[in-house]
Amino acid sequence: MIGIDAPRPSAKAWVTVASAWVVAVAALLAWVLGTPAPSLRAQLKILQLWSLETCVFLGLSLAAVVLSDLRRALDRRDVLAISMLIALALGLVLGLAPRTNRIFYDEHIYQNIGQNLADLGRAQMCNDGTLHDGRLQCSSGEYNKQPYAYPHVLSLVYRVFGVGTTTAFAVNAIAMGLAVGFLYLLVFFLFSDRVAAFFAALLLALTPEQLLWSATAAAEPSASVACIAALLAAACFVRSRSTVSLAGTAVAAAYAVQFRPESFLIVPVVALLLWQRARDEFTRPRLWWAGLLLLALTAIHVAHMVAVRNEGWGTTQDRMSLAYAAANLRVNGWFYLTDARFPMTCTLLAILGLSGRRAEPGRLAIACYFLSLFAIALLFYAGSYDYGADIRYSLATYPPMMILAGLGMARLAGWIERLAPRLPVLPALTAAVVFQFLWWYSPVVRSTADGAWAARADVEFARSLVPGLRGNSYVLTHNPGMFQVWGVNAGQMSLAVTNPAYLDDLAARFTGGVYLHWNFWCNVQDRVQREFCAKVLDLRPGEPVREFREGDQHYILYRLEAPVRKR
């Protein structure tokens, strides 16, 4: 362990670390800027897995050392409180929130990429895949624009337990429990306040949208807990000042930034926290070596962001612009004060926690944590919390909000105890928080009224088809990865439209039948998507096997006619 009063580093040490930085940055820029985007994507299909595996291996190894030292800082009260809070969070996710998809069809794409990582070692979604002995074989893979840490987490679980339809839901439920436990530890290690730590974790466990999205297969719950873990690692370093914990901070931050495009914002927050609580470290080379480790572990992610920088992300307009800020602020700002989906009391408590006369070092970093992730959504064309299912972007702001709210609750508890010394303040405040959730916000958690009913009905219909499609059959659809995760051979229907002979090849290979899934995208107003569906039936007539109607939506499974063989 390097002590706080370590000797002044030599000029040679600074020259060495500076030279290493120059070489590393130059090499990274030469690679990402000198490689054409298609070639870069092809390289990243292979490199993503090894980069993410390295993060996990180093992270687990370093965490084993750091946590063994930090256990001594906890006593039975902390273990009991964390265990109860985690049990509460898991109970609400598994018992109250309906388990369903809410962002279609991204959640299925994440799962399919995880399947590709687990079975093939490739960072891709599969557009033409078959299952052999339970393992995916992909003839046509496509590099996806979304970061790959969350699919990688899924792939780790797939490798241990196999690919399953409930795996992603289980991962996010566990992420909820970890978020609550990590938040308690983060607040306790930063501010040495058990009351603030308890209430911060409790408020997060009772946040309606946090619970609701933790019962989905979306990336946001896991992205949120990864950011908490990065800050927790930094808090551990602030306490111990060991080189191992510093390296652990770099590794945790490197993995965290690879969950969502905006997750990179956790890096300046970690840096600000270190500046507030360990400023002398910026005058020592080891901090800059840790920064170089962070750069090395995120190099593949930097290359990824360069490779996908021209993606449209669902719009032909500017993806990020100040022009969106005012309209998004009108929605997102009031969300924390007047929206039925978020407890206003948390916002008021956070203001109280932030406005203390003698601010503890670290609160500025937590405030910037909230502001940075709140502000980035304002600049995004689809950043309004009322835009489709994009309320999920608010999940990233909940941990810092609840940290400040926990500090505010601790301050409030102190006031009440001074005014009424005999009053059981902490049990009373706990009961009030739980009552508020049960009375006003539990109906929000139970709801599935999110406007995605048509896509949800499509997925439920498709899932009901699976028992009859397993085996030597093949499905043409807009969402082949969904079927592949379910164990069914499937491919993009566009493959048949652009190459009609492909239908003959499929018919020859799959004697169990070739099917067309008339799905959600066949019913939308997008002419291109509708034409894909119609053109396949024009190429090869089909007989309806199963049909289902939901509202004005019509879902059909066609069995396409086999080609007439010439004698």
Side-chain angles (χ1 to χ4, degrees), residues 91-356:
L92 292 173
V93 169
L94 299 176
L96 184 63
R99 192 181 73 187
T100 184
N101 303 118
R102 294 181 184 270
I103 176 68
F104 296 89
Y105 290 80
D106 292 24
E107 296 179 38
H108 302 94
I109 292 174
Y110 292 137
Q111 294 174 70
N112 183 238
I113 295 173
Q115 183 182 27
N116 278 265
L117 286 168
D119 289 353
L120 305 173
R122 293 292 183 269
Q124 63 185 18
M125 55 184 182
C126 184
N127 290 327
D128 181 10
T130 56
L131 283 297
H132 296 282
D133 298 324
R135 295 180 65 85
L136 178 67
Q137 300 296 318
C138 187
S139 301
S140 175
E142 178 182 344
Y143 190 78
N144 189 48
K145 64 181 180 291
Q146 294 283 7
Y148 281 84
Y150 175 57
H152 178 252
V153 172
L154 296 180
S155 78
L156 296 175
V157 183
Y158 288 160
R159 277 177 266 177
V160 177
F161 299 104
V163 178
T165 59
T166 61
T167 302
F169 295 101
V171 166
N172 273 346
I174 293 171
M176 177 63 178
L178 291 176
V180 169
F182 287 174
L183 199 69
Y184 181 101
L185 294 173
L186 174 58
V187 175
F188 178 61
F189 288 158
L190 276 183
F191 303 109
S192 301
D193 189 331
R194 286 188 170 89
V195 174
F198 174 80
F199 279 107
L202 177 63
L203 291 170
L204 183 64
L206 299 179
T207 303
E209 292 295 326
Q210 179 75 38
L211 289 167
L212 190 148
W213 283 94
S214 294
T216 72
E220 283 73 17
S222 297
S224 179
V225 73
C227 288
I228 299 172
L231 282 171
L232 176 58
C236 292
F237 169 67
V238 167
R239 288 178 65 92
S240 69
R241 294 296 189 95
S242 70
T243 302
V244 171
S245 61
L246 179 59
T249 302
V251 174
Y255 200 63
V257 302
Q258 301 182 66
F259 277 83
R260 289 278 310 162
E262 68 275 12
S263 294
F264 76 93
L265 292 169
I266 198 62
V267 174
V269 174
V270 169
L272 179 58
L273 178 62
L274 295 179
W275 178 259
Q276 284 193 282
R277 300 295 293 268
R279 189 169 303 182
D280 56 301
E281 290 292 339
F282 285 82
T283 64
R284 297 174 182 170
R286 70 168 181 171
L287 180 69
W288 300 98
W289 282 115
L292 190 58
L293 175 61
L294 171 66
L295 178 65
L297 293 175
T298 57
I300 300 302
H301 180 67
V302 172
H304 165 82
M305 298 305 292
V306 172
V308 303
R309 66 187 184 278
N310 294 321
E311 288 280 349
W313 292 84
T315 182
T316 57
Q317 305 298 318
D318 291 337
R319 293 162 295 177
M320 306 290 293
S321 172
L322 285 172
Y324 305 128
N328 288 342
L329 181 60
R330 280 193 293 271
V331 174
N332 298 5
W334 287 112
F335 170 80
Y336 297 95
L337 292 170
T338 62
D339 200 296
R341 297 168 294 179
F342 186 83
M344 179 184 65
T345 52
C346 294
T347 305
L348 299 177
L349 286 168
I351 295 172
L352 179 63
L354 188 61
S355 60

